[in-house]
Amino acid sequence: MNQPVSEKRETGQPSAGMGPWRFVVWFGTVSLLADFVYEGARSVTGPLLASLGASALVVGMVTGAGEAAALGLRLVSGPLADRTRRFWGLAIAGYALTVVSVPLLGVAGVLWAACTLVIAERVGKAVRSPAKDTLLSHATAATGRGRGFAVHEAMDQIGALVGPLLVAGVLALTGNDYGPALGVLAVPGVAVLLLLFRLRARMPDPEAYEREVTAAAPTTPHGPDGRLPRAFWTYAGFTAATTTGFATFGVLSYHLVQRHLLSAAWVPVLYAAAMAVDAVAALATGRLYDRHGPRVLIALPVLTAAVVALAFTDTVAVAVAGSLVWGAALGIQESTLRATVADLVPSGRRATAYGLFAGVVGAASLAGGALTGGLYGYSIPVLIAVVVAVQVLAAVLLLVTGTNRR
């Protein structure tokens, strides 16, 4: 892996562009507004589809297909971005598909159209994500990868909190009319596209940030013929292992409600608190990553094991603490894990790496949900033991990643 990049700081800006920190913050604002839009919609997808006649099976199939598309299609959009080098075009197209789909969802009127729009919104995320992460990775080469991705994640979470709250407020005011509740999200959606076009005009070539930083520094090693470096695959193995043991909030909230530890009305409040912890953890570990390198990621398997040990107890305070620890682990997953990919993979193959990385995370998340959900119903002590064992394996793979650079 690369050495910590705390010494890489903004000393100026590429000609005819903007400074790297300004780029990160403005791109974070784009993500904040986009999360405002699509997390607002996702918070009511189930009830909306039900109001149009969907059964629980249909809701599950449609939302599951959407998530599969959001992750699986990145295996295509990542290599496409590297091959065409049209990072801005793909990012804008993906965001546009999302911010157009959401307001239309509120006026779809028929089930098949609503289902199509739910999946289309997730396809938009798949189209943009590898290109977006690559653009961001160039600027974070100058700001410090950990801190840059962490600031982006923290801003992202603000939108994820505010969007659902706005939708809930409009629903309350309109008597559960989904048209106005989702229609109001068109405003931040338009702002997303305007900001993206402005950013592209101001900084059409964000790779200039990284070229300036790495001009006198050795590049990240890669395999022959431009293949992804071996360290990336080992790191993907670490990510798969630690994610496989990561309980979903769905399982955590199921436990809290079924064991009568919290009422259903308090679950969204706890989720919001976990999102706040997510942002703080991202900022803290991002800063530590820039100072000490990838060794700080050892916190992730530790936190993942702690989640199941705490959250599945029958003591309210301890179970709530476990859910907050879950938020901290999620913050690391969403920021520092992505930052490390940029340090492992050279620029020319980075979008491909991000696409593959998303596929690994998606498959591991599916396995993790099945593992924790299945073992929860069988035996909580067995669940804890298995997750701890998987996290020990993850820690070993992280150690190997740190020493295997070829």
Side-chain angles (χ1 to χ4, degrees):
M1 282 193 182
N2 286 356
Q3 294 298 316
V5 291
S6 57
E7 71 277 10
K8 300 176 184 177
R9 292 292 178 261
E10 178 178 348
T11 57
Q13 64 184 50
S15 58
M18 62 173 63
W21 264 122
R22 287 188 65 191
F23 184 88
V24 169
V25 170
W26 279 110
F27 220 132
T29 304
V30 169
S31 290
L32 184 158
L33 293 169
D35 265 47
F36 196 124
V37 175
Y38 71 78
E39 293 291 7
R42 293 178 74 198
S43 69
V44 294
T45 296
L48 170 62
L49 294 179
S51 72
L52 296 174
S55 64
L57 175 61
V58 170
V59 172
M61 290 179 63
V62 170
T63 54
E67 292 308 308
L71 292 168
L73 289 179
R74 295 185 212 187
L75 296 172
V76 177
S77 62
L80 178 64
D82 276 337
R83 186 167 59 253
T84 64
R85 313 304 292 174
R86 296 183 180 274
F87 300 110
W88 278 119
L90 287 166
I92 291 171
Y95 277 114
L97 183 55
T98 287
V99 302
V100 169
S101 297
V102 167
L104 291 177
L105 184 59
V107 295
V110 293
L111 182 58
W112 69 265
C115 292
T116 301
L117 289 167
V118 168
I119 296 173
E121 184 275 310
R122 295 282 83 192
V123 171
K125 187 171 181 64
V127 170
R128 70 178 178 263
S129 289
K132 177 205 71 175
D133 285 342
T134 301
L135 291 169
L136 185 62
S137 75
H138 296 319
T140 60
T143 64
R145 285 249 159 76
R147 286 201 301 160
F149 274 92
V151 168
H152 181 272
E153 168 65 10
M155 297 182 71
D156 197 77
Q157 290 306 106
I158 295 172
L161 284 171
V162 177
L165 293 176
L166 176 65
V167 169
V170 176
L171 285 174
L173 290 173
T174 60
N176 294 324
D177 188 343
Y178 291 103
L182 296 179
V184 73
L185 298 177
V187 176
V190 170
V192 165
L193 297 180
L194 291 176
L195 275 176
L196 279 169
F197 282 114
R198 173 132 179 102
L199 271 175
R200 184 176 67 172
R202 290 289 306 277
M203 196 62 207
D205 180 26
E207 194 172 359
Y209 296 125
E210 191 162 352
R211 286 196 297 268
E212 289 189 0
V213 170
T214 59
T219 59
T220 304
H222 55 84
D225 303 320
R227 289 179 295 179
L228 293 172
R230 188 181 306 170
F232 167 78
W233 295 108
T234 310
Y235 181 68
F238 155 72
T239 301
T242 194
T243 305
T244 297
F246 191 60
T248 66
F249 189 78
V251 178
L252 301 186
S253 58
Y254 177 89
H255 172 79
L256 290 167
V257 174
Q258 290 298 310
R259 297 295 181 96
H260 305 291
L261 302 176
L262 286 183
S263 67
W266 277 100
V267 169
V269 177
L270 179 60
Y271 183 79
M275 293 301 96
V277 173
D278 172 319
V280 173
L283 291 170
T285 56
R287 188 174 185 85
L288 288 171
Y289 175 83
D290 287 339
R291 289 183 175 182
H292 305 292
R295 71 186 71 175
V296 302
L297 288 172
I298 194 65
L300 189 53
V302 172
L303 291 175
T304 299
V307 168
V308 293
L310 297 173
F312 294 129
T313 64
D314 289 328
T315 303
V316 176
V318 177
V320 167
S323 296
L324 297 180
V325 171
W326 175 87
L330 185 65
I332 300 173
Q333 286 186 350
E334 295 290 332
S335 59
T336 313
L337 277 184
R338 289 160 54 212
T340 308
V341 172
D343 275 337
L344 283 171
V345 180
S347 175
R349 297 284 287 160
R350 198 168 292 157
T352 298
Y354 275 121
L356 289 168
F357 191 71
V360 168
V361 171
S365 297
L366 178 62
L371 175 71
T372 55
L375 289 180
Y376 175 85
Y378 174 71
S379 169
I380 290 178
V382 171
L383 167 61
I384 294 172
V386 170
V387 170
V388 168
V390 172
Q391 297 316 301
V392 170
L393 172 62
V396 172
L397 288 171
L398 179 63
L399 177 63
V400 172
T401 303
T403 58
N404 183 6
R405 303 189 185 187
R406 298 189 64 184

